[in-house]
Amino acid sequence: MTIDNLTGALPNDGTASLEDRILGGLDAEQREVASTLNGPLCVLAGAGTGKTRAITHRIAYGVHSGVYTPQRLLAVTFTARAAAEMRSRLRDLGAGNVQARTFHAAALRQLQFFWPQAVGGTLPNLLEHKAQMLAEAARRLRLSTDRASIRDLASEIEWAKVSMLTPANYLENAQGRGTPGGFDLTAVARVFQAYEDVKTDRNVIDFEDVLLITVGILQEDEKVAATVREQYRHFVVDEYQDVSPLQQRLLELWLGGRDELCVVGDASQTIYSFTGASPRHLLEFKARYPQANVVKLIRDYRSTPQVVKLANDLLAGRRSGGPAADAAWAKPLQLVAQRPAGPTPSFIECTDDEAEAATVTRKIQALLDAGTPASEVAILFRTNGQSEAYEQALAAAGIGYQLRGGERFFARKEVRDAILQLRAATRAATEEDAGPLGQLVRDIVASLGYTDSAPHSGGALRERWESLAALVALADELVQARGPQFGLPDFVNELQERSLAQHAPTVQGVTLASLHAAKGLEWDAVFLVGLSEGLMPISFADSPESVDEERRLLYVGITRAREHLSLSWSTARTPGGRANRKPSRFLDGLRPDSVASSQVRGKAAAPRRKAAAPAVCRVCGSMLSTGAERKVGRCNSCPPGYEEQTFEALRAWRRSVAVSADVPAFVVFTDATLTAIAEAKPASLEELAGLAGVGPSKLEKYGEDVLRVLTESTAL
């Protein structure tokens, strides 16, 4: 593709220069990034400052000016979705031959190519999930495990491997990491070794092995290393604050002492330290490459001045400490808002979690009524277990939602059926069938239930429609970005690539997501919920470094909002419960009538109440991770402690009440609350009131009936 074929945002009236066509729409700092094509370059890019735009235009400018050969430039990022987004933008800029991959995808591609000559034989199968192998490793050592401990052990072993530790040197380097999975570090080291042995016996490798083996081959085989360095001359690394020691080592081996490297990152958005990520490499870039250009992107095009001020003020309150606590850390990037003024962020205190969910739902309904699309609204929380109350509140209000991290878009049956029909239509198409892509897609998916207007009902019917509507909207967007020549075969190929990368289109529905899962995304309206001590910062953040990371996590949440931002917390967990919760310390000085702890004069700040210890299962002692588990006091993998006839009697009663009141069953009592009642068998209203999920109003409505059902079921 030549410069004359560029589409999308690049103007081409036949007279504009190459520089104007590619760099014309950039601000001064973005333009400096995009026009600095050689030598080491470090881009410190704040949230919403257009870093992806700057680096993709840099690549396109380098390709079209002849400085870069597309096949010899490798752009690396951290998620398949981000890599797919970068490839899409590069295609729109006429640089579609540039490789944009995750670290793992790039390493796996090289490993598959070089394994036969460097190692010999066939590359072992790739292990997608560690649980089964870890469970077998624990059994070999006669250690008792459950699902939660296996999950924690997997995380610890992943941390060890990306930190380039082996079972032999893990113990001496893991001091202070607590008891992963409930085991002391000696036991973890033994499990680590047994896990490696099981993999060897099964002839499989895991995702960390892909990087480790690639590093090993590049270190030991000069011929392979020379081939890779000949293939790739220029490197771009996005989200550089998240690189692990292992990824940094791989990058160094790819470079082989050269300095044709551009890195982009923001130390204030480092939120994955628990996985081995470290901002040290970003902050020390200038020390490693003294001749490097450093460009700061601070113009925030995403958020209103009100949101930007709140984000800046939050970081201004951070204490010293943490990794690489130098001047760069002490002075985070101060964003400068470029958008017009918007509404002031709201701070809301609620009496309990249910009231908070109801309040947030009402505010969302008001936004939807005012014209904000549901897909432009997000509820963000610290732990996945907090989503339950919001799922129930939104469902009761008839508001559609999507749980980020739930079923993948391209795994949905209606999406798979639609792609099959689109592919079949491509094979059967003739020139006479040609027409606007958007209308063609609408006609094809109409047989699967798509209509131009959304169904009034909710549930599965609405979910199917939203999936199909997302495909139609994507077709319209791609035609607008790539021109009217973008046809049905191109669209099918695009869907295939997005499916492999799990790069899902936007679905109409309020997004529910953890703060970690929200990284890299943005919405018109964001609701940050559950901002109380013990949740933000999380109770197990017990060091200055971990508390500092929690502050950065909240910063990421704030900077996801374009215009509307709400921050809320509750003073009690359940209706009628003790109001002993306090708002997050991070909100001191930000919420109205509060003072930042660091600004207290004349006396020491009052000590905070120590956060409650995390709830544990009364059966196996493992940590309870969800609200439902905490309600019943037991993890899902442990056997229930109720009589089946009692639980079924309560379910039958609940079903009858729900039908009579014409409400969903969970509005009466959730399954978790019903389980707690069946296991506790309260003998009085006072005992019933003490159970999670049974507030004053429900006690008054259903208390006597519940006690009657319990008495009758016991007498059977």
Side-chain angles (χ1 to χ4, degrees):
M1 181 178 288
T2 66
I3 192 66
D4 296 325
N5 300 126
L6 291 176
T7 60
L10 300 181
N12 185 359
D13 59 3
T15 60
S17 67
L18 170 63
E19 185 173 345
D20 288 339
R21 291 179 187 177
I22 299 183
L23 308 184
L26 306 180
D27 67 30
E29 294 79 21
Q30 292 172 344
R31 191 183 182 101
E32 183 179 357
V33 171
S35 59
T36 304
L37 301 180
N38 294 110
L41 173 64
C42 180
V43 183
L44 301 177
T49 57
K51 67 180 179 65
T52 305
R53 177 179 175 83
I55 59 177
T56 52
H57 281 249
R58 176 182 186 266
I59 293 170
Y61 187 52
V63 167
H64 292 299
S65 62
V67 176
Y68 303 152
T69 301
Q71 295 81 1
R72 293 191 169 187
L73 187 147
L74 179 61
V76 186
T77 187
F78 280 80
T79 67
R81 187 184 190 283
E85 173 67 22
M86 189 177 293
R87 287 195 297 271
S88 178
R89 293 198 189 196
L90 288 171
R91 277 197 302 271
D92 293 344
L93 292 168
N97 291 331
V98 172
Q99 299 293 311
R101 301 181 181 276
T102 65
F103 268 103
H104 282 90
L108 180 59
R109 186 180 176 91
Q110 293 174 20
L111 192 58
Q112 290 168 332
F113 184 82
F114 291 113
W115 180 277
Q117 70 182 78
V119 181
T122 304
L123 180 70
N125 292 325
L126 186 60
L127 179 67
E128 293 196 8
H129 304 288
K130 293 182 173 66
Q132 186 175 354
M133 298 290 178
L134 273 172
E136 183 173 341
R139 284 196 299 271
R140 290 186 179 187
L141 299 173
R142 300 175 183 259
L143 296 175
S144 177
T145 59
D146 56 24
R147 186 172 56 186
S149 61
I150 289 293
R151 182 182 63 237
D152 291 347
L153 285 169
S155 296
E156 183 67 6
I157 289 174
E158 287 166 6
W159 169 82
K161 296 180 79 165
V162 302
S163 300
M164 296 192 291
L165 303 179
T166 66
N169 64 12
Y170 166 79
L171 191 58
E172 62 184 279
N173 290 281
Q175 298 304 312
R177 288 189 62 81
T179 55
F183 298 101
D184 62 51
L185 296 181
T186 301
V188 174
R190 293 174 61 214
V191 173
F192 188 180
Q193 182 61 65
Y195 167 71
E196 295 299 315
D197 293 340
V198 172
K199 287 197 291 109
T200 300
D201 293 344
R202 299 288 187 274
N203 192 34
V204 296
I205 58 176
D206 59 26
F207 282 100
E208 292 73 42
D209 291 331
V210 171
L211 299 181
L212 284 165
I213 296 171
T214 305
V215 164
I217 291 175
L218 292 173
Q219 286 181 158
E220 297 173 9
D221 194 320
E222 283 297 327
K223 185 176 180 181
V224 170
T227 302
V228 171
R229 292 164 191 162
E230 175 65 22
Q231 172 66 47
Y232 295 116
R233 299 296 185 89
H234 299 269
F235 294 87
V236 176
V237 183
D238 194 12
E239 302 290 359
Y240 192 55
Q241 78 278 352
D242 288 332
V243 295
S244 67
L246 178 56
Q247 290 165 331
Q248 175 64 23
R249 181 58 184 146
L250 178 59
L251 178 62
E252 291 168 355
L253 288 167
W254 282 341
L255 284 163
R258 297 169 295 172
D259 62 3
E260 291 299 337
L261 173 64
C262 169
V263 300
V264 188
D266 178 10
S268 296
Q269 296 187 69
T270 304
I271 59 174
Y272 296 111
S273 292
F274 62 91
T275 68
S278 171
R280 180 171 58 86
H281 310 292
L282 173 68
L283 296 172
E284 296 175 356
F285 190 84
K286 185 68 173 175
R288 291 200 309 276
Y289 299 99
Q291 75 278 27
N293 289 317
V294 178
V295 181
K296 294 183 179 181
L297 302 183
I298 60 172
R299 304 190 204 203
D300 187 311
Y301 297 96
R302 175 188 299 158
S303 305
T304 62
Q306 288 77 6
V307 173
V308 168
K309 181 180 186 304
L310 190 67
N312 286 338
D313 290 348
L314 174 69
L315 288 189
R318 67 183 301 278
R319 298 182 180 182
S320 61
D326 56 14
W329 264 99
K331 297 179 180 179
L333 294 172
Q334 286 288 301
L335 302 178
V336 179
Q338 304 297 301
R339 290 190 57 184
T344 301
S346 63
F347 295 83
I348 305 171
E349 182 171 280
C350 300
T351 56
D352 54 69
D353 289 351
E354 288 187 19
E356 186 178 1
T359 300
V360 168
T361 299
R362 285 195 298 272
K363 290 177 72 69
I364 289 175
Q365 186 63 67
L367 285 172
L368 300 183
D369 292 342
T372 300
S375 60
E376 289 295 345
V377 179
I379 300 173
L380 306 181
F381 32 76
R382 177 60 179 85
T383 66
N384 288 323
Q386 294 171 262
S387 72
E388 182 183 9
Y390 296 91
E391 292 180 59
Q392 293 179 3
L394 291 170
I399 299 174
Y401 65 87
Q402 56 173 330
L403 187 61
R404 187 163 181 82
E407 182 186 21
R408 292 182 171 184
F409 178 83
F410 288 102
R412 299 175 187 175
K413 183 179 185 302
E414 63 272 16
V415 174
R416 288 186 280 112
D417 290 345
I419 293 176
L420 286 174
Q421 292 207 18
L422 290 166
R423 186 176 292 118
T426 300
R427 290 194 296 267
T430 65
E431 291 187 8
E432 288 74 22
D433 296 325
L437 176 62
Q439 189 57 52
L440 282 175
V441 174
R442 285 172 171 81
D443 293 342
I444 292 167
V445 300
S447 62
L448 299 174
Y450 174 77
T451 57
D452 286 338
S453 56
H456 295 295
S457 59
L461 179 64
R462 177 61 181 252
E463 290 177 3
R464 285 196 299 273
W465 182 89
E466 288 173 345
S467 296
L468 298 174
L471 292 175
V472 170
L474 178 61
D476 291 338
E477 291 170 10
L478 290 172
V479 169
Q480 184 175 4
R482 300 182 188 173
Q485 74 277 6
F486 189 82
L488 190 58
D490 303 309
F491 184 56
V492 171
N493 290 336
E494 177 80 17
L495 291 176
Q496 177 67 23
E497 180 177 329
R498 285 176 174 246
S499 177
L500 292 173
Q502 291 302 321
H503 181 196
T506 301
V507 175
Q508 288 299 319
V510 173
T511 298
L512 297 175
S514 70
L515 287 163
H516 283 102
K519 180 74 166 63
L521 304 175
E522 59 186 77
W523 296 270
D524 284 347
V526 169
F527 293 82
L528 302 176
V529 301
L531 300 182
S532 58
E533 284 290 309
L535 284 171
M536 178 54 68
I538 199 73
S539 57
F540 51 76
D542 55 2
S543 67
E545 294 82 6
S546 57
V547 170
D548 202 39
E549 180 143 339
E550 292 288 299
R551 183 185 293 271
R552 297 196 298 271
L553 187 58
L554 180 57
Y555 173 80
V556 167
I558 289 173
T559 54
R560 299 310 94 195
R562 297 191 190 105
E563 184 173 3
H564 302 278
L565 178 63
S566 170
L567 303 93
S568 62
W569 63 93
S570 60
T571 57
R573 185 166 65 87
T574 58
R578 292 182 59 189
N580 55 8
R581 281 181 173 174
K582 303 296 182 184
S584 168
R585 71 190 75 174
F586 299 147
L587 303 184
D588 291 350
L590 303 182
R591 56 191 174 90
D593 303 321
S594 68
V595 178
S597 302
S598 59
Q599 295 176 349
V600 176
R601 300 277 200 281
K603 61 178 181 179
R608 289 187 173 273
R609 179 181 62 85
K610 186 177 180 180
V616 296
C617 175
R618 63 169 178 268
V619 179
C620 68
S622 62
M623 186 181 296
L624 302 179
S625 59
T626 69
E629 289 179 340
R630 289 191 289 271
K631 277 188 178 181
V632 300
R634 150 180 75 72
C635 60
N636 291 330
S637 58
C638 287
Y642 57 74
E643 295 178 1
E644 192 65 31
Q645 64 186 29
T646 300
F647 186 65
E648 289 304 320
L650 286 168
R651 287 185 65 187
W653 166 80
R654 182 182 66 171
R655 184 164 52 249
S656 174
V657 172
V659 170
S660 298
D662 193 25
V663 296
F666 67 76
V667 173
V668 182
F669 283 122
T670 65
D671 284 349
T673 301
L674 217 60
T675 300
I677 294 172
E679 293 191 353
K681 290 185 179 178
S684 65
L685 291 175
E686 289 75 18
E687 291 180 10
L688 180 61
L691 298 179
V694 184
S697 61
K698 292 189 177 182
L699 187 69
E700 182 179 350
K701 277 185 181 179
Y702 310 125
E704 296 291 350
D705 288 343
V706 168
L707 295 179
R708 175 182 53 77
V709 172
L710 290 172
T711 302
E712 292 175 353
S713 65
T714 304
L716 292 177

